Every structure is written in C-alpha cells, then in structure tokens.
C-alpha cells in the first residue's frame, strides 16, 4: 500500500463525503477542493565536500483568505501529494477555528538525522531564499510555521533569512510563526497543539449522553490514554492531560518500541530518561510489548496517534480497543479505517479540529507581531490594581481576612501566556460546539469528521460567495 497516496485519497474521500451533504454548486466545491498554487523546487546545498540536490515543496491550498498558513515538514516521506493533502487540511482547520487564513504547507524531503545542525541551517536558509524569490512567503502572503521535523530553531533561521532580504520591512517578524520567544515568538506556542488536543478532548468528555453511551463517566479524571509519538504534539498532550486532566497515560509508542504501565507513565520523567538513554525502552516500572505495532491494541479509553499520517489503516483498525481516538497528528486514520471504526462504535475526534491549537496560537503570534506589542502589556497592571482595590474593599466591609494565596489568585492581572491559553481554550470550546451542531442537526452525518468538514465548508464557501466569485 502506498501510504502517501492513501493519505491524499483519504482527505479527498472525506471531503467528497461531506460535500454531497451540502447545498453548494459543484463548481464552488471543486474550487474549494483544489490546491491553488504548488511550488516544487530543487536546490543544491553543500553537504561535507559535495553538493546535494534537495527536493522541496510549498503548496498554497486556498487563496480565499490571505495570508496562507501552515507548517514546514522535514521528512524523508515528503512528496507532492502528501504536502497537498496537508495544505488542504490547513484550509479546513483555519476555517473551523476562525483563523482568517487560507491553508498551506511546506515540505523538504530530508531525514533530519542525516544532517548536522549547520547543514540543516544551510538547507533552511536556502529553502527560504527560494520562497522569497517566488513570492511564496511574507506576512500578508504565506506564513510558515513548525511541523514534523522542524521547530523554533528553524523558524528563527527563516526569519533571519527573510529579514536579510527584506531590510526595513516593518512587519517582517510576522513572516513566520512558532519562533523562539526571545525572537518575536509568543509564550505558549510550543505547547499549543498538545494543549488544544487536551481542551478538545475535555470538551467532548462533558457530553453526558455520548460519553455514557461509550460506557464511561463524563470528565477527564481517571481516564486511561495511550500515545503514539513523543514529538512536540504527543509530549504536551501527555503532560497536560496528566497535570490538568488527571488522566493516566498507560502506554507510549516511539520508533524504538512500545512500553506500558497500568499504574501510569510520568511523561515528563520519561522524556528525561529518553534524552539520556536515547530510548524509552527500559523506563522503570514499564513493560515493553513484543511488537512496536501493538500500540493500537492496548485496551484504553483514549488513543492518541501523535506522529504521522496513515498510522491506523484497514490492516490494524479492527485491533483497536480504545473508545475514543484523538487525532493529534494530521491524517493518522485512513478513510478505510474510519469506516471500520465507525461500525465498531469508536469515536474519532478529527485532526482538522483537534490539532488546530497550533495554528490558533500561530495566529495570536502573527497578531502580536503586526501590533508590535506583547499581549497584556497595557492592561495587566491596571487590572491588577483594580482587583486589589476590590479585594481590599470586600475585606474592609466584611471584616474577614484572606490568605496570601487567595489574594494573589484574586488580584492577578493576565500575562501573555494567560491570555494565549484563554484564547486557545475559548477557540477550542466554541469550535467544538459549532461542529457538534452539525453532528446532531443532520441525520445523514454519522461522525465528527464529516460534521467538521461541513462546518469548515460552510465557512469557506461563505467567504467565496461574499467575494462574489460564485454568484
Ligand atoms: N504545523 C501545524 C499544523 O499542522 C501548525 C501550523 C501553523 O501554525 O501555521 O497545524
């Protein structure tokens, strides 16, 4: 089975399944579905004492809103179809969470572990130069961000290269998001996707009827979770679910294998262990499963694929014993697998909603860069003083006292990170209920992915119709 083709086909099939349930004309639906611009490039980079030709892409899936937005992936599996599918998901994702961008995605076909940091820097800078030359990057054009294989370090290289070429462009810091916090980034971006996954799951778990129908009680507390992939998304989904949701992570799968511990795995400690040993295997208290692939069949409440696409396919879907699948990665469940899961009664919370926390906080970062001011700078002290006056007044009028901890909780003015978290929480909750409205309103809608697609389609279509392109 060609994994990438199946991912592209899955996105296409999921789109078609939802599109037939809408009232939009065929032409409009075809325009929404098609990738608007694809830039395929090949450039030379000196690696050691010879030149290597690097293949890379940037796909702008939808120009209905500008800039376009989406991460850059460094992976050996990158090909045009994969990047097109990922870019399409970005369009629907942005629409769902009301982030006013079209979707895009970049891909560089390399295995990061074959290169030194200096070589990766050369590749990143050269890729950025190619994007600038073709007008495929800019605060109002197309704004990249991290994805699989990239992070704040790469984003800083992109920004620096862009600024060297665009000297004096006042909004240049907004040409890329996911930057380090000391380089025009924003607090809370790194954890944003994982935090968003947690907020989305937590919201789903408030639905009494649905959760009880799955044989569980509402709320996150005490639920068991298995995570595939401890990259930027999986690690924060795990730590935040444990710390803020009292969830028990009973299984973790990584390249080297899958480990389980029914008593719960401390993800923060596991990450330290892996950093020193180079592997998750042998982590105290855990058992290693015979086959790495067995992560899918661990009995648990919540299964979180947080690695790459097409991880749950028709070959392994039947083995799943989880009640809920949280698509923290993009496209981890193929369309074939989803049909099987639907029959098994497994609920899939879809990627385009559940992992939208990353792009949501990217949007906040972009706004911060354009406004040239940190969130909270103007109002934090004002709020703090006003709350202090209020608390003082209550204390005086009641004659009662409060502890220092209570006082600081009541009088705190919001920092940037508090505002980012609150904006993200609001976004994930609001968006969930918009999707749910489509899920419950239409009998023909059998799953949350179709409901999410319809919600996104309504928004993108309404943009096109407002533009007057389709009278
Ligand atoms: N790569 C992330 C995603 O797939 C983030 C994109 C962004 O922040 O622009 O959603």
């Amino acid at each position: 089975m060609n994994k990438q083709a199946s991912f592209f086909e899955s996105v296409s099939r999921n789109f078609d399944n939802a599109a037939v349930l809408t009232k939009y004309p065929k032409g409009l639906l075809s325009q929404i579905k098609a990738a608007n611009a694809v830039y395929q490039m090949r450039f030379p980079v000196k690696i050691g004492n010879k030149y290597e030709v690097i293949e890379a892409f940037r796909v702008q899936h939808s120009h209905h809103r500008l800039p376009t937005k989406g991460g850059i992936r460094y992976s050996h599996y990158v090909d045009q179809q994969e990047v097109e599918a990922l870019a399409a998901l970005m369009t629907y994702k942005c629409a769902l969470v009301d982030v006013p961008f079209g979707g895009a995605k970049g891909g560089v076909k390399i295995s990061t572990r074959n290169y030194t940091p200096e070589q990766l820097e050369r590749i990143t800078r050269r890729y950025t130069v190619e994007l600038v030359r073709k007008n495929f990057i800019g605060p109002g054009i197309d704004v990249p961000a991290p994805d699989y294989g990239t992070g704040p370090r790469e984003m800083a290289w992109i920004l620096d290269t862009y600024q060297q070429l665009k000297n004096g462009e006042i909004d240049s810091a907004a040409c890329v998001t996911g930057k380090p916090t000391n380089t025009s980034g924003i607090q809370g971006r790194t954890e944003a996707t994982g935090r968003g996954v947690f907020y989305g799951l937590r919201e789903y778990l408030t639905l009494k009827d649905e959760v009880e129908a799955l044989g569980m009680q509402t709320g996150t507390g005490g639920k068991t979770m298995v995570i595939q992939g401890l990259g930027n998304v999986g690690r924060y989904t795990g730590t935040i679910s444990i710390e803020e949701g009292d969830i028990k992570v009973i299984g973790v799968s990584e390249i080297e294998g899958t480990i389980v511990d029914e008593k719960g795995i401390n993800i923060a400690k596991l990450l330290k262990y892996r950093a020193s040993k180079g592997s998750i295997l042998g982590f105290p208290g855990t058992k290693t499963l015979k086959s790495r692939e067995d992560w899918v069949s661990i009995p648990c409440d919540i299964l979180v694929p947080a690695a790459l696409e097409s991880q749950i396919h028709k070959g392994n879907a039947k083995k799943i014993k989880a009640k809920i699948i949280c698509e923290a990665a993009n496209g981890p469940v193929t369309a074939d697998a989803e049909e099987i899961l639907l029959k098994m009664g497994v609920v899939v919370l879809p990627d385009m909603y559940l992992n939208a926390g990353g792009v949501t906080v990217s949007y906040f970062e972009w706004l911060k860069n354009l406004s040239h001011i940190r969130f909270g700078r103007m109002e934090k002290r004002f709020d703090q003083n006003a709350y202090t006056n209020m608390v003082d007044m209550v204390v005086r009028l009641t004659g009662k006292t409060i502890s220092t901890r209570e006082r600081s909780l009541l009088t705190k003015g919001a920092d940037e990170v508090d505002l980012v978290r609150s904006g993200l929480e609001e976004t994930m909750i609001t968006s969930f209920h918009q999707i749910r409205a489509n899920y419950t309103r239409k009998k023909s809608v059998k799953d949350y992915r179709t409901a999410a697609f319809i919600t996104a389609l309504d928004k993108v279509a309404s943009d096109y119709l407002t533009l007057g392109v389709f009278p």
Side-chain angles (χ1 to χ4, degrees):
M1 182 184 69
N2 178 340
K3 272 194 175 170
Q4 308 312 336
S6 101
F7 173 42
F8 183 82
E9 281 157 24
S10 285
V11 174
S12 169
R13 219 159 96 194
N14 291 334
F15 178 96
D16 294 341
N17 286 343
V20 294
L21 302 176
T22 69
K23 56 185 186 310
Y24 304 111
K26 222 170 163 240
L28 174 53
L29 290 168
S30 308
Q31 172 61 30
I32 294 174
K33 192 177 175 184
N36 292 176
V38 180
Y39 177 25
Q40 180 192 16
M41 64 202 97
R42 291 195 179 87
F43 50 80
V45 177
K46 196 160 186 211
I47 304 293
N49 52 13
K50 55 182 199 307
Y51 280 93
E52 239 178 67
V53 179
I54 308 284
E55 187 181 14
F57 303 87
R58 183 73 184 171
V59 173
Q60 294 172 349
H61 172 261
S62 182
H63 290 156
H64 74 290
R65 288 217 179 191
L66 290 172
T68 50
K69 187 90 192 74
I72 299 173
R73 169 171 295 204
Y74 285 3
S75 142
H76 186 65
Y77 294 109
V78 159
D79 65 17
Q80 186 172 325
Q81 281 205 323
E82 182 197 34
V83 185
E84 276 193 35
L86 289 163
L89 283 180
M90 287 308 303
T91 295
Y92 313 129
K93 197 183 295 189
C94 290
L96 269 184
V97 289
D98 291 320
V99 164
F101 301 142
K105 201 77 164 201
V108 180
K109 195 176 174 61
I110 53 166
S111 264
T112 49
R113 74 188 99 131
N114 295 341
Y115 300 93
T116 64
E118 289 72 28
Q119 292 165 346
L120 288 171
E121 178 171 353
R122 241 175 281 145
I123 294 169
T124 306
R125 288 185 182 277
R126 179 62 196 252
Y127 177 68
T128 311
V129 170
E130 295 297 327
L131 295 179
V132 170
R133 282 215 304 206
K134 286 278 191 279
N135 215 16
F136 259 65
I137 184 171
I141 299 168
D142 187 354
V143 182
D147 197 79
Y148 185 89
T150 60
R153 180 183 68 173
E154 284 73 16
M155 303 307 118
W157 291 331
I158 292 173
L159 174 68
D160 186 54
T161 310
Y162 184 86
Q163 288 182 324
Q164 283 178 29
L165 296 167
K166 302 270 185 176
N167 185 28
E169 194 182 277
I170 189 154
D171 289 330
S172 59
C175 77
V176 61
T177 61
K179 302 178 292 287
T181 38
N182 62 0
T183 316
S184 308
I186 195 166
Q187 307 267 349
R189 172 62 185 86
T190 311
E191 66 180 51
T193 311
R195 179 168 287 283
V197 170
F198 171 68
Y199 288 150
L201 169 67
R202 190 186 65 184
E203 201 53 25
Y204 174 78
L205 290 172
T206 61
L207 307 175
K208 200 167 183 303
D209 291 355
E210 285 198 37
V211 176
E212 285 180 359
L214 290 174
M216 298 187 291
Q217 308 249 298
T218 52
T220 53
K223 300 270 184 308
T224 54
M225 179 183 271
V226 170
I227 303 176
Q228 184 210 24
L230 282 184
N232 183 53
V233 181
R235 67 178 60 192
Y236 287 108
T237 301
T239 48
I240 295 169
S241 295
I242 295 170
E243 279 161 26
E244 296 180 26
D246 198 20
I247 283 175
K248 218 158 60 161
V249 177
I250 57 161
V252 172
S253 181
E254 252 298 340
I255 304 168
E256 57 270 20
T258 299
I259 55 170
V260 289
D261 181 0
E262 268 170 28
K263 294 192 293 302
I265 300 168
N266 182 320
I267 299 294
K269 284 193 182 149
L270 177 64
L271 287 166
K272 283 203 190 112
Y273 177 89
R274 191 178 192 227
S276 73
K277 306 261 184 224
S279 168
I280 59 169
L281 306 186
F283 183 63
T286 62
K287 260 192 357 226
T288 301
L289 297 188
K290 261 206 212 90
S291 159
R292 170 169 76 109
E293 309 294 329
D294 288 344
W295 65 276
V296 285
S297 49
I298 303 171
C300 62
D301 298 319
I302 304 147
L303 191 60
V304 184
L308 286 168
E309 56 267 18
S310 308
Q311 298 299 300
I312 298 173
H313 44 81
K314 67 174 172 210
N316 65 6
K318 285 206 185 84
K319 296 187 185 158
I320 283 172
K321 298 195 184 76
K323 298 178 175 114
I324 303 168
I325 296 181
C326 286
E327 287 195 320
N330 288 310
V333 177
T334 66
D336 288 336
E338 187 145 16
E339 279 175 22
I340 299 170
L341 293 168
L342 203 59
K343 284 191 198 123
M344 288 163 61
V346 178
V347 171
V348 179
L349 298 177
D351 50 6
M352 71 175 75
Y353 160 67
L354 202 67
N355 72 28
V359 77
T360 301
V361 176
S362 275
Y363 169 48
F364 300 156
E365 181 177 334
W366 182 79
L367 290 173
K368 173 189 181 179
N369 295 150
L370 293 183
S371 56
H372 300 265
I373 188 168
R374 159 172 60 84
F375 288 115
R377 179 167 171 182
M378 301 298 277
E379 62 274 40
K380 180 180 163 173
R381 295 291 155 178
F382 181 85
D383 289 346
Q384 209 150 298
N385 292 337
Y387 301 149
T388 303
N389 287 338
M390 220 152 19
V391 169
D392 284 346
M393 170 97 68
V394 172
V395 166
R396 191 155 44 82
L397 293 178
T398 58
K400 303 248 161 72
T401 51
I402 54 171
S403 69
T404 320
R405 193 181 124 72
E406 284 165 335
R407 173 174 282 275
S408 69
L409 267 177
L410 288 169
T411 59
K412 186 179 181 332
D415 277 321
E416 182 171 83
V417 72
D418 301 315
L419 294 166
V420 163
R421 283 183 188 166
S422 139
L424 175 59
E425 187 175 8
E426 162 62 17
T427 303
M428 294 306 293
I429 293 174
T430 304
S431 169
F432 180 79
H433 291 286
Q434 289 175 359
I435 298 168
R436 183 158 160 79
N438 274 323
Y439 180 70
T440 48
R441 203 182 295 141
K442 297 191 176 153
K443 267 223 161 63
S444 45
V445 177
K446 302 267 188 289
D447 57 281
Y448 275 100
R449 189 185 316 280
T450 309
F453 252 112
I454 292 175
T455 314
L457 273 173
D458 281 343
K459 294 187 187 185
V460 180
S462 122
D463 277 350
Y464 268 113
L465 295 168
T466 315
L467 289 171
V469 185
F470 290 88

